[in-house]
C-alpha cells in the first residue's frame, strides 16, 4: 500500500461528511428531477480538492527520500474520492427527500 492511500484514508471521513451535507442540501433546496445535474460539478470539484493532499504528500516524499509515486495511484485516489462523495450524496438526497416529503417518483 502506497503513501497515497494512507493519506487518502485519513481524509475519507471528510468525504463522507461533505457528501451527506451536499445531498441533504440538495434535497431541501432543489426539488427537481435534474438534481444530479446540480450535484455533478460540486462532486467533481470537491473530489479534486480532496485529491490535493495525497498529491502534495507524494511530492514531499519525492523531495525528501526520492520515493516515486505512480500516476495510477493518484488517479485511483481521485476516482475513490468522487465515488465516496457521490454515494454519500445519493444517500443524503434520499434521506433528506423522505424526511421533508418531496421525493420524486419518476
Amino acid at each position: 500500500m502506497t503513501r497515497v492511500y494512507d493519506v487518502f484514508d485519513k481524509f475519507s471521513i471528510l468525504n463522507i461528511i461533505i457528501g451527506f451535507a451536499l445531498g441533504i442540501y440538495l434535497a431541501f433546496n432543489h426539488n427537481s428531477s435534474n438534481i444530479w445535474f446540480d450535484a455533478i460539478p460540486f462532486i467533481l470539484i470537491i473530489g479534486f480538492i480532496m485529491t490535493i493532499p495525497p498529491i502534495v504528500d507524494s511530492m514531499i516524499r519525492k523531495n525528501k527520500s526520492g520515493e516515486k509515486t505512480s500516476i495510477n495511484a493518484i488517479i485511483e485516489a481521485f476516482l475513490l474520492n468522487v465515488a465516496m462523495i457521490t454515494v454519500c450524496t445519493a444517500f443524503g438526497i434520499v434521506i433528506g427527500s423522505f424526511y421533508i416529503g418531496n421525493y420524486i417518483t419518476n
Side-chain angles (χ1 to χ4, degrees), residues 1-10 72-73 76-77 80:
M1 189 166 170
T2 64
R3 181 75 180 152
V4 172
Y5 299 120
D6 292 338
V7 174
F8 169 76
D9 288 340
K10 292 178 183 173
N72 291 339
E76 288 175 12
L80 284 172

Side-chain angles (χ1 to χ4, degrees), residues 2 10-11 15 33 51 55 58 63 74 76 89 97-98 103:
T2 64
K10 292 178 183 173
F11 286 98
N15 288 335
S33 59
T51 308
I55 292 171
S58 66
N63 289 337
I74 305 262
E76 288 175 12
T89 301
S97 294
F98 280 123
Y103 51 91

Side-chain angles (χ1 to χ4, degrees), residues 56-89:
V56 170
D57 185 66
S58 66
M59 289 170 40
I60 291 171
R61 291 282 175 180
K62 184 178 180 186
N63 289 337
K64 281 186 177 178
S65 63
E67 276 185 39
K68 287 192 174 183
T69 304
S70 68
I71 192 72
N72 291 339
I74 305 262
I75 291 172
E76 288 175 12
F78 172 72
L79 292 176
L80 284 172
N81 281 329
V82 170
M84 286 180 73
I85 295 169
T86 303
V87 168
C88 293
T89 301

